[in-house]
Each structure stands twice: as structure tokens, then as C-alpha cells.
């Protein structure tokens, strides 16, 4: 088969490599140049998964362990501490070496690349995607794998009749800016990684992570972030952490991070989305590398096993992804959106009265459950509206998990439409400005 991969995202590169290895004609089209790929910052994921896929160990000089974590209430009054053990301490890795490992893996497996090629949209014929339109002309083939990111020009320009969600809602994205500043002196706090929910009473979060050689600051909001607002928050961090310098050692760029459930429907005849194009991240923290790696592997294995890429095969990938990963990770979107709906004093109440504890926040909120909240019923009923808002969010998340995991066994458009409507009925939208 002739397979076109739109964008050099993590999921697309994995799928490209594994499919090319089996003899398919695979080309990746990417608008950036090779040396421009990858953010100049670190992220967390499962290292053993990457090694399993590529067959290579990750060099020790491109990763490190992250310290213990404290979630801080909006009023700065209460901290929820998460202490990691040697077994579960988080490893983080620089993004540029990560993308280079995947690029090298794909090239070794025979994948072709066309860098500096801007994709403008899909090519369709009836109910099928037959290729992509680019600034270099039309590219036709048997399958388009969409790995072109949050605002993918392929997904966002598909015909509405395909039923694939095109545009994220408010609250589905974090507009973030992140930079590593020089560190003055050798101060190292007992809890080096601080995460601030509803930071400075705004809808979003920030963090300040003190490393041995730098201070990593991220400011993320659900509405576009101006440089002036970012600078204002960084200055506040400097007042509380006098060792934060002004020189940017790494980063300094803005990014748009999906913080929502994955697409319910992510395939059509001749088309499959993966990674950020399908919003494959954990809603509470925007971490998506593991999901992207798994999605690329699952997509390739499904096609290889079936020997084709027709709609029935691609639907199997869609269904299996939600059964294995999508349902579970979507569970905490209700928690995330219910927190965004609360005013700062509401989040303070949850922290101050131990309605939210370390056991709830560990694992990016995936361990928070209805039974765990009901166990705190007495404390929560000191302010019923805030308590029931969170309980309602968790219930919505549980319903979404169940809905996503109950996708039809085989592809039938009417059945898939009915299923997607059922998934959408579980959404808790962010309406508070």
C-alpha cells in the first residue's frame, strides 16, 4: 500500500516505521525542517515502551529523574504532597532527542521524508480520503495517517458528513509558555516540583520546578496567553523564589496542549488520526507521549494483521484504542472540567478540607473515584455546592469511560453515529469565563 503520513508526530512516526518495515510504501510530509522538530523542553513517558518499539535503550545523558511534587491551592495556604518511591519516581526526557530517536528509527525502517512540505487539507472522493493537498501539489495514496497536530489541516477540513470532530471546545486546550531559567546559587527546596491549580485565580495551572541547574516554569491557561500575562506570573514566582534568574537556558516558546478526551471517532475510509491530531492526552496534565506511542503501534499492528486499511480495519483500531487507553484516560476529564468550573475559593475549600488528597492527584487524577469522594462526604458537606460539583464531574467522567469503551464491535455508520452521540452526552463543558 501507498501510505501518506501527514506530520511528523510521535504516533505517525511509530506507525510509519512499523508499516514500512513490512514492505509498505510510506512517506511522511512535514511542514518544518528536520532540525526544527521537537520542543526545547522535557516531558514524561514510559521509557520501556519506547525501547520496546525501537529496540534501543535510551542514553542516560538525555533524561533525569523528577523530584517530589506538591499541588498548591489557589490561596497558597494548603499543599498536597506526592512523595515518589524509587519504583515510581518519574523519568523525564528532552523532547528533541526523543523526536530524533523516532526519526532515526523510521529512516532505518525505510520511511521516506518530505520536510518543508505544508499540508493544506485532505483530498476526498465521495466518502473516502484519497490523499492530501500540499504546497507542492496533490499527494494521493491508499491511506492517510493524520499526525499533524492539534489544529491538523487534514482533520479540520474533512467533510462534516464524515462525523469526525473538527474543532476543540474552550477548555479542551491549554495555551502555555514554558522556559528554563538560570538558577542563582545552589538552593534546592524539599519539594522541588510545585503545581499551582487555579493559579492566581485564573482558569488553568502553572508550575515551578527547581532543578540542580535551572528552574523550569510553565504557565498554562485555557484562553490564549499573552506575553505580558506570562511575564507577570514569572515575576511573582521570582518574589517567592529569589534564586530564579532572568536568563532563559531552554524553552521560551509557546505551545498549545490538548487537555481533553481523545476523539471518539478518529477514522474514516482511507483516514486514521493518531496523537495530538486525535487529542490523545491525559486531560489533567496534557501528557500524551505514551498514548501516541501506543496508538502508532496499535494502528500499524491492526493494518498489518488485516492486510488492508479499509474502514472495517481502521474501525478496529479506533475501537481497540478506546478499550485499551481512551476510555481510561478520558475518565478524569470530568474532574478537570469541574475544577475549571469552580472559582478559586471553591478549589481552596477542596484542598483545605482534604476533599482532594495526594491519593486523588497521583496519576493525574485517574485515581480519583466516586467511592473515594464519598468517603470524604462529611468534610465535603461543609460546602455542598463545591463538593457536589466535583462529585458530578467524576460521575460524568465515569460515564464517558463506559461509553467510549462500549464502541460497536464492527463498523456500521448508523451504529457508530448513535455511539458517538452517547459519548457526547457525557461531556461536562467549561462554561465559566
Amino acid at each position: 500500500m501507498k501510505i501518506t503520513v501527514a506530520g511528523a508526530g510521535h504516533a505517525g512516526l511509530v506507525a510509519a516505521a512499523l508499516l514500512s518495515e513490512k514492505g509498505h510504501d510510506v512517506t511522511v510530509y512535514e511542514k518544518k525542517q528536520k532540525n526544527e522538530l521537537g520542543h526545547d523542553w522535557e516531558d514524561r513517558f514510559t521509557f520501556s515502551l519506547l525501547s520496546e518499539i525501537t529496540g534501543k535503550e535510551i542514553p542516560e545523558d538525555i533524561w533525569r529523574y523528577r523530584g517530589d511534587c506538591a499541588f498548591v491551592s489557589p490561596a497558597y495556604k494548603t499543599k498536597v504532597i506526592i512523595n515518589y518511591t524509587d519504583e515510581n519516581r518519574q523519568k523525564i526526557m528532552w523532547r528533541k532527542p526523543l523526536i530524533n530517536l523516532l526519526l532515526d528509527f523510521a529512516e532505518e525502517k525505510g520511511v521516506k521524508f518530505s520536510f518543508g512540505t505544508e499540508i493544506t487539507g485532505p483530498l476526498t472522493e465521495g466518502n473516502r480520503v484519497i490523499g492530501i493537498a500540499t504546497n507542492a501539489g496533490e499527494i494521493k495514496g491508499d491511506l492517510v495517517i493524520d499526525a499533524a497536530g492539534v489544529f491538523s489541516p487534514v482533520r479540520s477540513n474533512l467533510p462534516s458528513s464524515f462525523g469526525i470532530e473538527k474543532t476543540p471546545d474552550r477548555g479542551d486546550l491549554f495555551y502555555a509558555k514554558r522556559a528554563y531559567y538560570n538558577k542563582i546559587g545552589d538552593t534546592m527546596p524539599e519539594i522541588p516540583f510545585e503545581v499551582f491549580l487555579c493559579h492566581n485565580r485564573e482558569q488553568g495551572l502553572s508550575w515551578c520546578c527547581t532543578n540542580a541547574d535551572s528552574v523550569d516554569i510553565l504557565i498554562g491557561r485555557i484562553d490564549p496567553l499573552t506575553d505580558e500575562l506570562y511575564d507577570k506570573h514569572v515575576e511573582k514566582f521570582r518574589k517567592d523564589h529569589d534564586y530564579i534568574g532572568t536568563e532563559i537556558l531552554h524553552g521560551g516558546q509557546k505551545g498549545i496542549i490538548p487537555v481533553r478526551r481523545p476523539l471518539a471517532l478518529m477514522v474514516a475510509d482511507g483516514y486514521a488520526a493518531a496523537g495530538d491530531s486525535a487529542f490523545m492526552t491525559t486531560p489533567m496534565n496534557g501528557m500524551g507521549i505514551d498514548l501516541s506511542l501506543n496508538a502508532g503501534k496499535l494502528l500499524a499492528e491492526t493494518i498489518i494483521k488485516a492486510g488492508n486499511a479499509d474502514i472495517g480495519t481502521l474501525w478496529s483500531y479506533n475501537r481497540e484504542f478506546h478499550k485499551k487507553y481512551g476510555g481510561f484516560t478520558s475518565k478524569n476529564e470530568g474532574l478537570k472540567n469541574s475544577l475549571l468550573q469552580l472559582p478559586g475559593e471553591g478549589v481552596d475549600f477542596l484542598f483545605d478540607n482534604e476533599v482532594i488528597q495526594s491519593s486523588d492527584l497521583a496519576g493525574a487524577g485517574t485515581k480519583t473515584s466516586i467511592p473515594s469522594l464519598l468517603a470524604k462526604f462529611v468534610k465535603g458537606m461543609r460546602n455542598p455546592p463545591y463538593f457536589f460539583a466535583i462529585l458530578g464531574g467524576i460521575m460524568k467522567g465515569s460515564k464517558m469511560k463506559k461509553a467510549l469503551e462500549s464502541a460497536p464491535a464492527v463498523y456500521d455508520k448508523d451504529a457508530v453515529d448513535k455511539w458517538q452521540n452517547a459519548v457526547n452526552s457525557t461531556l461536562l463543558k467549561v462554561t465559566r469565563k
Side-chain angles (χ1 to χ4, degrees):
M1 285 189 296
K2 182 178 179 182
I3 298 172
T4 298
V5 180
H10 301 94
L13 291 174
V14 169
L18 298 179
L19 288 166
S20 181
E21 183 180 33
K22 294 300 181 179
H24 296 288
D25 180 5
V26 186
T27 304
V28 175
Y29 295 86
E30 167 58 49
K31 69 178 180 180
K32 293 181 179 179
Q33 297 299 326
K34 183 177 180 180
N35 63 359
E36 296 174 334
L37 293 172
H39 295 301
D40 185 23
W41 62 45
E42 299 159 298
D43 264 320
R44 173 171 57 86
F45 64 98
T46 304
F47 284 24
S48 59
L49 174 60
L50 180 65
S51 295
E52 175 194 334
I53 291 170
T54 63
K56 298 177 181 179
E57 293 300 317
I58 300 174
E60 292 189 0
D61 61 343
I62 57 176
W63 65 270
R64 60 180 159 186
Y65 286 106
R66 177 171 277 167
D68 292 338
C69 177
F71 286 86
V72 184
S73 66
Y76 296 82
K77 177 182 175 182
T78 305
K79 291 185 178 182
V80 175
I81 309 296
I82 299 177
N83 296 116
Y84 297 104
T85 65
D86 290 342
E87 289 73 30
N88 67 5
R89 186 166 298 282
Q90 298 173 342
K91 292 179 178 179
I92 55 177
M93 177 178 173
W94 291 100
R95 276 289 196 101
K96 281 186 174 291
L98 169 59
I99 202 71
N100 286 334
L101 283 173
L102 290 173
L103 288 167
D104 291 345
F105 174 57
E107 288 177 339
E108 289 168 7
K109 298 301 181 182
V111 176
K112 293 170 284 187
F113 287 86
S114 178
F115 294 107
T117 303
E118 184 174 357
I119 301 162
T120 57
L123 299 176
T124 60
E125 190 174 273
N127 293 320
R128 181 177 177 80
V129 175
I130 61 170
I132 56 174
T134 77
N135 61 348
E138 294 183 347
I139 311 294
K140 294 184 179 181
D142 301 300
L143 172 66
V144 172
I145 296 175
D146 187 352
V150 173
F151 297 115
S152 166
V154 185
R155 187 201 68 244
S156 57
N157 287 293
L158 289 171
S160 298
S161 60
F162 282 35
I164 295 176
E165 185 182 350
K166 298 181 184 183
T167 307
D169 291 325
R170 181 173 180 270
D172 285 350
L173 306 175
F174 266 5
Y175 296 84
K177 186 172 180 180
R178 184 178 180 185
Y180 292 69
Y181 293 91
N182 67 304
K183 182 180 169 187
I184 301 169
D186 57 2
T187 299
M188 181 58 70
E190 183 179 355
I191 306 296
F193 185 28
E194 298 173 295
V195 180
F196 299 79
L197 300 181
C198 194
H199 184 224
N200 293 334
R201 310 291 172 172
E202 296 171 2
Q203 287 173 294
L205 63 77
S206 302
W207 75 48
C208 180
C209 182
T210 304
N211 303 307
D213 56 354
S214 62
V215 183
D216 170 13
I217 293 178
L218 176 141
I219 310 295
R221 298 294 183 265
I222 66 172
D223 293 310
L225 183 70
T226 65
D227 289 333
E228 291 76 17
L229 184 61
Y230 171 83
D231 292 341
K232 170 186 151 184
H233 292 313
V234 172
E235 282 307 311
K236 181 164 178 52
F237 276 136
R238 283 200 181 97
K239 289 179 181 178
D240 299 329
H241 307 74
D242 59 7
Y243 52 82
I244 301 175
T246 58
E247 180 186 357
I248 294 178
L249 304 178
H250 297 281
Q253 307 98 350
K254 290 181 179 178
I256 300 176
I257 305 166
V259 283
R260 51 159 280 170
R261 70 216 169 272
L263 287 176
L265 179 61
M266 59 185 76
V267 300
D269 202 6
Y271 172 88
D276 279 0
S277 297
F279 306 116
M280 292 177 176
T281 57
T282 303
M284 279 288 286
N285 61 15
M287 298 292 182
I289 297 176
D290 275 0
L291 290 169
S292 293
L293 296 177
N294 277 312
K297 182 171 180 283
L298 177 62
L299 176 57
E301 289 175 345
T302 304
I303 293 170
I304 292 166
K305 181 179 179 180
N308 63 62
D310 64 23
I311 185 59
T313 297
L314 298 178
W315 173 251
S316 294
Y317 150 72
N318 195 134
R319 181 174 181 269
E320 286 303 306
F321 178 83
H322 287 312
K323 286 184 67 177
K324 290 182 176 181
Y325 315 109
F328 178 74
T329 56
S330 69
K331 178 184 172 185
N332 68 12
E333 185 183 56
L335 172 62
K336 188 255 316 181
N337 285 358
S338 61
L339 286 169
L340 287 173
Q341 288 283 77
L342 290 179
E345 57 267 26
V347 181
D348 281 328
F349 167 80
L350 298 173
F351 273 73
D352 296 345
N353 290 276
E354 299 181 321
V355 177
I356 289 183
Q357 298 175 311
S358 60
S359 58
D360 301 306
L361 294 172
T366 55
K367 297 182 181 180
T368 305
S369 63
I370 295 171
S372 74
L373 281 180
L374 290 177
K376 305 161 192 170
F377 180 80
V378 174
K379 292 180 179 180
M381 287 305 290
R382 294 170 186 168
N383 197 315
Y386 297 148
F387 177 73
F388 283 114
I390 294 299
L391 183 61
I394 295 298
M395 292 176 68
K396 282 278 192 179
S398 296
K399 289 178 180 178
M400 178 176 288
K401 176 180 182 294
K402 184 177 180 180
L404 280 171
E405 292 176 345
S406 64
V410 296
Y411 182 81
D412 174 82
K413 188 176 187 310
D414 290 340
V416 169
D417 288 346
K418 183 178 179 180
W419 164 76
Q420 186 166 213
N421 288 335
V423 172
N424 291 340
S425 72
T426 68
L427 297 180
L428 175 64
K429 293 194 174 184
V430 178
T431 57
R432 183 176 73 88
K433 292 287 186 178

